[in-house]
Amino acid sequence: MGVPPPAPRAPGRSKSLEATPERIRAAAIAAFAEDGYGATTTRSIAQQLGMSGAALYLHYPSKEALLFEISRGGHEEALAVVLESDQPTASPSDRLRRVVHAFAKWQAVNSKLARVLQYELRSLEEGHLQVILTIRRQTSGVLESIITHGYRVGEFRASDPPGALLAISSLCVDTCRWFPSQSYPDAEQVAEFYGDVALRIVGAATMRSANVT
Amino acid sequence: MGVPPPAPRAPGRSKSLEATPERIRAAAIAAFAEDGYGATTTRSIAQQLGMSGAALYLHYPSKEALLFEISRGGHEEALAVVLESDQPTASPSDRLRRVVHAFAKWQAVNSKLARVLQYELRSLEEGHLQVILTIRRQTSGVLESIITHGYRVGEFRASDPPGALLAISSLCVDTCRWFPSQSYPDAEQVAEFYGDVALRIVGAATMRSANVT
């Protein structure tokens, strides 16, 4: 999540000084995911880390500031994963499969963090929300450009390209809500299957030929 | 939501006595959806309705009891909608399209309630959670029986029937998170499109022939 390395530990340092921003964020993610953002206080997070409220305040001047940093870090990480997985020179089908695989897998592996990102957007201040929505549009933009290209060259043929983008994004994001399930306990297996599902949703040529049995 | 009709209003009745269980639940749904269950108090709900905490307590002895009744009512309503939409004598494709249509539309139209149902399962007491999970299994069971039947008779041919059930359920449920969107502001339009998407996911025969253009 683009976190600076923890400060070196000085001998005799008190427990509170060991609470790095990274540890604070990890404790906050667990609390927000478990109890909800609204029911969590910065005081309870500080207590859990054995630090004072004032020490936490030095890093995060408010609960919302803490949520914003978690949200920004998480969304940037998801965007990076999506960008890295894309191979713009590959076919639209290959690109779509790879990007959906990476995005769905990230949601599954980071399901606790991802739930905080998805369900606490409403708790962000307006300016912060706009920052996050910009990152989300970039992530969605990767999928959109692949889908648009696939339709333009005739490789994708199902109706309604904007609908396909919506359904594919929704499928990936919702993974954080239900993962793991009894029939899908493995993130790699989900990611693999969702790559196929995405190709079915856009009516990809490869899926069309596979269908004609 | 299977709610008894509001009691007739007696002349001179105080404001607090007008707070029927239905109105209490509606206020709680709004508060839980807006602020989260954890951050809401029964006192704030009572205040909003102009009733005393004691009066609310007569109907709901705890915040969790209130959440449970909301959850049970909402889940029962969704199950009823799904059951009503199913036509067991129709073809698996027709059945799947109709049930997905009804289920997705319910999630869209009732998105605020549906978000409370989906995201506050963790806040239910164990016994109550089991009641809710039983209703959820019944709803999922309708989709599962249609999908299983469709594969058995060869009408559905995509790989992985349990995965198809998972993806289709996930798509429907996640509607409550994003609805309405810029490209999909209309519940009927979402429902119609998701009926098609579901048929693509299972590799339905009708979609296969439509694909071979």
Side-chain angles (χ1 to χ4, degrees):
Chain A
M1 287 172 55
V3 171
R9 182 175 173 176
R13 248 185 163 180
S14 78
K15 198 178 172 194
S16 70
L17 288 178
E18 292 166 28
T20 60
E22 189 170 23
R23 283 189 62 219
I24 295 170
R25 289 204 299 276
I29 290 166
F32 294 164
E34 182 69 27
D35 305 322
Y37 173 79
T40 303
T41 61
T42 49
R43 196 162 147 265
S44 66
I45 295 168
Q47 276 177 341
Q48 197 195 318
L49 294 167
M51 71 192 293
S52 68
L56 190 145
Y57 184 87
L58 285 178
H59 297 295
Y60 300 103
S62 70
K63 186 170 72 162
E64 197 272 345
L66 181 49
L67 175 65
F68 173 56
E69 287 307 325
I70 289 169
S71 190
R72 181 161 66 178
H75 279 97
E76 281 173 349
E77 187 177 291
L79 171 60
V81 160
V82 162
L83 286 171
E84 273 166 36
S85 68
D86 190 21
Q87 291 192 328
T89 55
S91 73
S93 294
D94 282 349
R95 290 178 72 194
L96 185 62
R97 188 194 291 277
R98 289 177 58 92
V99 167
V100 166
H101 186 287
F103 193 37
K105 189 169 180 176
W106 188 87
Q107 300 282 345
V109 170
N110 301 283
S111 59
K112 199 171 274 194
L113 166 62
R115 283 198 294 271
V116 174
L117 304 192
Q118 300 305 330
Y119 305 156
E120 299 297 355
L121 288 174
R122 62 181 174 187
S123 304
L124 291 168
E125 287 173 8
E126 183 56 27
H128 287 163
L129 177 62
Q130 292 308 321
V131 172
I132 300 302
L133 292 181
T134 301
I135 308 172
R136 290 172 74 96
R137 274 192 294 269
Q138 288 176 273
T139 308
S140 182
V142 177
L143 276 170
E144 188 175 12
S145 73
I146 297 170
I147 290 173
T148 304
H149 181 59
Y151 277 95
R152 201 171 50 231
V153 299
E155 194 166 316
F156 301 162
R157 297 203 191 162
S159 62
D160 200 343
L165 172 63
L166 173 72
I168 291 169
S169 303
S170 171
L171 261 183
C172 292
V173 166
D174 193 49
T175 306
C176 75
R177 179 183 58 83
W178 60 261
F179 182 85
S181 77
Q182 275 192 329
S183 52
Y184 276 92
D186 175 52
E188 177 62 27
Q189 186 195 9
V190 176
E192 192 75 19
F193 179 62
Y194 274 16
D196 274 359
V197 169
L199 293 179
R200 291 190 176 281
I201 290 175
V202 294
T206 46
M207 284 294 160
R208 294 201 297 275
S209 51
N211 274 330
V212 184
T213 50
Chain B
M1 287 173 57
V3 172
R9 182 174 174 179
R13 249 185 160 177
S14 79
K15 199 178 171 194
S16 70
L17 286 178
E18 292 167 27
T20 60
E22 188 170 24
R23 283 190 62 219
I24 295 171
R25 290 204 299 277
I29 290 166
F32 294 164
E34 183 68 26
D35 305 322
Y37 173 80
T40 304
T41 63
T42 49
R43 197 163 144 266
S44 65
I45 295 168
Q47 276 177 340
Q48 195 195 318
L49 294 168
M51 71 192 293
S52 67
L56 190 145
Y57 185 87
L58 285 177
H59 296 296
Y60 300 104
S62 70
K63 185 169 72 163
E64 197 273 343
L66 180 49
L67 175 65
F68 173 56
E69 287 307 324
I70 289 169
S71 189
R72 181 160 68 178
H75 279 96
E76 281 174 349
E77 187 177 292
L79 171 59
V81 160
V82 162
L83 285 171
E84 273 166 35
S85 68
D86 190 22
Q87 291 192 326
T89 55
S91 73
S93 294
D94 283 348
R95 290 178 71 193
L96 185 61
R97 187 194 291 277
R98 289 177 58 92
V99 167
V100 166
H101 186 288
F103 193 36
K105 188 169 181 176
W106 189 87
Q107 299 282 344
V109 170
N110 302 281
S111 59
K112 198 171 275 193
L113 166 63
R115 282 198 295 270
V116 174
L117 303 191
Q118 298 306 330
Y119 306 156
E120 299 297 354
L121 288 173
R122 62 181 174 186
S123 304
L124 291 167
E125 287 173 8
E126 182 56 27
H128 287 162
L129 177 62
Q130 291 309 319
V131 172
I132 300 301
L133 293 181
T134 301
I135 307 172
R136 289 172 74 96
R137 274 192 295 272
Q138 288 176 273
T139 308
S140 182
V142 177
L143 276 171
E144 187 176 12
S145 73
I146 296 170
I147 291 173
T148 304
H149 181 58
Y151 277 94
R152 202 172 50 232
V153 299
E155 195 166 315
F156 301 161
R157 296 202 192 164
S159 61
D160 200 343
L165 172 62
L166 173 70
I168 291 168
S169 303
S170 172
L171 261 183
C172 292
V173 165
D174 193 49
T175 306
C176 75
R177 178 182 59 81
W178 61 261
F179 183 85
S181 77
Q182 275 192 329
S183 52
Y184 275 93
D186 174 53
E188 177 63 27
Q189 186 195 10
V190 175
E192 193 74 20
F193 179 62
Y194 274 16
D196 273 359
V197 169
L199 292 180
R200 292 191 176 281
I201 290 174
V202 295
T206 46
M207 285 294 160
R208 292 200 298 276
S209 50
N211 275 330
V212 185
T213 49

